[in-house]
Amino acid sequence: MDFKRTFLVAALPLAMCLAASAQAETKIKFAEIHPAGYPTVVAESNMGKVLEKESKGDISFKMFAGGVLGSEKEVIEQVQLGAIQMARVSLGVVGPVVPEVNVFNMPFVFRDQAHMRKIIDGEIGQEILDKITNSDTKMVALAWMDGGTRNLYTKKPVRSLADLKGMKIRVQGNPLFIDTINDMGGNGIAMDTGEIFSALQTGVIDGAENNPPTLLEHNHYQNAKYYTLTGHLILPEPVVMSKTTWDKLKPEEQALVKKAARDAQMEERTLWDAKSASAEEKLKAAGVEFITVDKKPFFDATQPVRDKYGAQFAELIKRIDAVQ
Ligand code: BDP
């Protein structure tokens, strides 16, 4: 066997790959807070493969999962500067930079997950993406990922609104979320995703709120065994591109990016449903108690938040409600 030849043949695909990425006119670093295998990460990585293939190597894509490029707040700053080319972030942290998106950040604004999906797939969803794109943040918003339904998880059980009294609950850095928890009687504390695990462990916080896949994959359940199904937030998550990157793309590349992002939106949904179901099972098997509560007292308690933040969105909220 000719060793040299075998080596060359084996090394060829890698060399071609490296060459392609070195030659790519547009190099996309994609930032994700979630770990490999998470529905968003999988759908976005597949989108990246489509971009590389369809652009014939003019675009290269690399996924940076697990929050290695920083917190979502930092990532947004880097995207605005063009240092990170693409990211998926929670709409929660977009609110402070583009207040017009806060309509989706309001507690109980969607009836259920199906309602939210209808909205993000339709014209209102596009309008909110456009608010981001047309803001002065230098971000182009391309598509929505499904972030499921957020519920409370705590170290001590919350079986009624009264149980939440005084509990320190972590929220994302958005005043609207702090008000939401405070109005429920808790004590909202803003903190980055990556700090929650140790804050729960050391007792700096008594709980947090999120969907089952995050509760599981970020290991928060290890120190918070009670999951109260308040369903207070159903929060979609935009995929954004730095405007600096976007402006350098040819029109046909922009169209390709838009289409691939929208396809990822649809693919992620299927992955999300499977992951949510398996996460619930795993959490239960790990001893997490799922607590069903009457949502009405939680809804009523948060009316002041909807009054305060919702006034400017009155017309839009009517349209959201009207979507069946
Ligand atoms: C998850 C979102 C993620 C947020 C996280 C959080 O997918 O983007 O960073 O919640 O609350 O559900 O920090």
Side-chain angles (χ1 to χ4, degrees):
M1 161 113 49
D2 178 346
F3 169 76
K4 248 195 199 153
R5 201 163 149 237
T6 313
F7 175 78
L8 269 178
V9 170
L12 207 57
L14 176 68
M16 275 164 64
C17 234
L18 290 176
S21 126
Q23 276 164 18
E25 284 164 29
T26 305
K27 298 190 177 86
I28 297 175
K29 284 203 295 270
F30 194 106
E32 251 293 352
I33 202 82
H34 291 305
Y38 202 89
T40 54
V41 179
V42 175
E44 290 146 11
S45 301
N46 289 342
M47 172 189 76
K49 284 182 201 136
V50 171
L51 295 180
E52 289 186 334
K53 185 164 174 266
E54 299 286 317
S55 71
K56 306 212 166 41
D58 283 346
I59 298 176
S60 72
F61 182 96
K62 194 159 169 18
M63 168 60 71
F64 291 83
V68 292
L69 296 183
S71 70
E72 292 192 342
K73 186 172 175 285
E74 289 162 342
V75 162
I76 288 180
E77 287 163 10
Q78 296 299 313
V79 169
Q80 291 182 254
L81 294 172
I84 292 175
Q85 292 70 41
M86 276 185 101
R88 181 218 47 91
V89 290
S90 174
L91 197 67
V93 288
V94 179
V97 283
V98 188
E100 293 99 313
V101 307
N102 272 332
V103 62
F104 284 1
N105 283 329
M106 291 198 308
F108 302 104
V109 73
F110 301 116
R111 287 189 298 276
D112 50 30
Q113 204 178 6
H115 184 213
M116 181 276 284
R117 286 178 174 180
K118 263 250 168 87
I119 302 278
I120 58 171
D121 289 349
E123 60 179 26
I124 301 177
Q126 187 57 47
E127 280 169 34
I128 299 297
L129 291 177
D130 292 346
K131 297 269 186 221
I132 300 175
T133 306
N134 298 331
S135 70
D136 57 8
T137 58
K138 296 209 166 77
M139 294 192 289
V140 176
L142 297 159
W144 294 105
M145 295 285 144
D146 190 332
T149 302
R150 294 171 78 106
N151 303 295
L152 284 173
Y153 50 91
T154 46
K155 293 167 88 74
K156 289 195 184 133
V158 173
R159 300 187 194 280
S160 70
L161 196 60
D163 291 338
L164 189 61
K165 188 124 202 75
M167 278 193 188
K168 296 193 283 292
I169 303 295
R170 177 273 176 178
V171 293
Q172 299 182 63
N174 185 329
L176 195 158
F177 297 154
I178 295 188
D179 286 354
T180 300
I181 295 297
N182 291 355
D183 286 349
M184 290 181 186
N187 186 356
I189 294 182
M191 171 182 300
D192 290 338
T193 323
E195 295 168 15
I196 303 171
F197 180 83
S198 69
L200 280 170
Q201 201 173 35
T202 55
V204 166
I205 51 172
D206 303 305
E209 45 82 54
N210 223 311
N211 51 53
T214 296
L215 176 56
L216 177 75
E217 292 300 335
H218 291 254
N219 294 314
H220 300 165
Y221 72 95
Q222 290 176 9
N223 297 294
K225 296 273 185 215
Y226 298 97
Y227 195 44
T228 304
L229 304 177
T230 48
H232 57 280
L233 270 179
I234 304 176
L235 206 52
E237 311 175 333
V239 172
V240 295
M241 179 177 253
S242 168
K243 191 160 188 314
T244 318
T245 312
W246 178 258
D247 287 344
K248 283 185 197 146
L249 295 177
K250 301 179 193 105
E252 61 271 24
E253 289 174 331
Q254 293 181 340
L256 168 65
V257 168
K258 262 196 185 162
K259 174 162 190 312
R262 182 72 178 189
D263 289 349
Q265 169 168 332
M266 295 307 163
E267 186 194 354
E268 190 255 2
R269 189 162 301 180
T270 316
L271 299 167
W272 182 264
D273 288 340
K275 179 72 191 177
S276 288
S278 70
E280 283 195 33
E281 269 175 36
K282 284 186 187 151
L283 288 167
K284 285 178 185 163
V288 175
E289 184 187 344
F290 280 54
I291 302 170
T292 314
V293 280
D294 177 8
K295 292 181 185 167
K296 177 102 180 13
F298 291 88
F299 176 85
D300 291 346
T302 53
Q303 190 55 46
V305 183
R306 283 184 297 281
D307 292 344
K308 178 174 166 188
Y309 294 89
Q312 54 170 316
F313 302 119
E315 276 313 303
L316 190 53
I317 292 171
K318 271 191 211 145
R319 286 172 58 213
I320 292 175
D321 288 345
V323 173
Q324 288 309 312

